[in-house]
Amino acid sequence: MYIILIASLAPVLFLIWYIYHHDRYQKEPLPMLLKALLGGVLAAFLDIALLTVVGLFVNPALEDSLSQALYQAFGQAAMPEELCKLFFLYLFIWNSPHFDEYYDGVEYAAFVGLGFAGLENVMYVMQGGLAVAVGRALFAVPAHFFFAIFMGYFFAMAKFKPWKKGTFLLLAYIVPVILHGIYDFILMYREAITETDTSIAAILSIGFFVFFFIVWKTAIRRVKKMVGK
């Protein structure tokens, strides 16, 4: 049990250290960071509740693998998850007097994203074991972290450029949704067609690694850009 928890939370703790370490000018108060982390955990529970309610009314009959993967990736994962994260990020952080630098938006969003990823990771690893922990540590947890960086970037722009608040808040939702949806779609569609179309599955595998690398490099550049603001 303890090994499962350690394996689940180790990548989360490493990324928490990484994003906190880059706050070089004015460290955020620990209670505020813990509050953001809690917001991510609450976002995960809200996401489960939201999907349960929506599932009572929306259950499309999708027969082909492509449509199923698109609906699951965007409709059941990216859109509700990023909405719940942004909701608690705004609720807990927007009006805080400690949110007074551009980098704060990235840092608080990362803590929300990692709170979500931490709970999700524990649930998946407890079901699938240590083998699942390795794959999720390399890809799923960092992916949530990267999506959160984009959310935090636009969240900060909305805060400190209020004349474009609506546009930037919309981008704080839409950009992570697009990236998250593409990430999940590639994995879900590849899994669905692995046995029937190996060539397309191989192309999707290559595409996944290229996409992940681009998102990773772009997200890290966003962090460095915000540190300098």
Side-chain angles (χ1 to χ4, degrees):
M1 178 66 177
Y2 292 110
I3 295 177
I4 292 292
L5 286 175
I6 293 171
S8 302
L9 297 178
V12 174
L13 294 174
F14 170 76
L15 292 172
I16 284 175
W17 170 83
Y18 174 87
I19 202 70
Y20 182 76
H21 173 73
H22 277 74
D23 190 356
R24 299 171 184 172
Y25 301 110
Q26 184 178 352
K27 295 291 187 182
E28 297 308 296
L30 182 59
M32 284 299 300
L33 295 174
L34 292 176
K35 187 176 181 180
L37 201 65
L38 174 62
V41 174
L42 294 176
F45 285 115
L46 179 60
D47 174 62
I48 294 171
L50 186 61
L51 287 176
T52 301
V53 173
V54 172
L56 297 175
F57 303 96
V58 180
N59 188 21
L62 304 173
E63 298 181 358
D64 62 291
S65 300
L66 179 62
S67 298
Q68 289 176 359
L70 282 171
Y71 176 69
Q72 291 171 358
F74 285 90
Q76 293 186 317
M79 294 175 67
E81 288 183 17
E82 300 305 329
L83 180 63
C84 293
K85 293 178 197 174
L86 184 58
F87 172 76
F88 280 102
L89 178 63
Y90 191 94
L91 181 66
F92 284 179
I93 304 302
W94 183 265
N95 291 319
S96 170
H98 300 291
F99 183 17
D100 55 4
E101 296 177 344
Y102 280 92
Y103 185 76
D104 295 346
V106 171
E107 186 171 9
Y108 285 127
F111 269 73
V112 171
L114 290 170
F116 188 104
L119 179 60
E120 183 184 68
N121 215 36
V122 169
M123 295 169 63
Y124 274 105
V125 174
M126 288 185 68
Q127 292 178 355
L130 292 177
V132 173
V134 174
R136 291 189 60 83
L138 292 174
F139 297 105
V141 173
H144 277 289
F145 176 68
F146 298 148
F147 305 151
I149 288 174
F150 286 97
M151 179 179 288
Y153 174 84
F154 292 111
F155 189 71
M157 298 297 280
K159 176 73 172 182
F160 299 109
K161 294 186 178 181
W163 59 93
K164 291 186 178 180
K165 176 183 175 181
T167 299
F168 283 123
L169 283 179
L170 187 60
L171 288 172
Y173 175 63
I174 290 177
V175 173
V177 164
I178 292 173
L179 296 176
H180 191 160
I182 293 173
Y183 174 94
D184 281 354
F185 169 74
I186 294 174
L187 294 177
M188 292 174 178
Y189 189 49
R190 184 194 63 179
E191 182 179 359
I193 65 170
T194 294
E195 296 182 359
T196 58
D197 198 331
T198 55
S199 59
I200 297 297
I203 293 173
L204 287 171
S205 296
I206 296 171
F208 172 79
F209 287 109
V210 172
F211 172 76
F212 190 85
F213 177 78
I214 293 172
V215 172
W216 167 46
K217 295 294 289 185
T218 307
I220 297 305
R221 282 200 297 267
R222 295 287 186 185
V223 170
K224 293 178 179 179
K225 180 178 180 180
M226 285 306 202
V227 168
K229 278 189 175 288

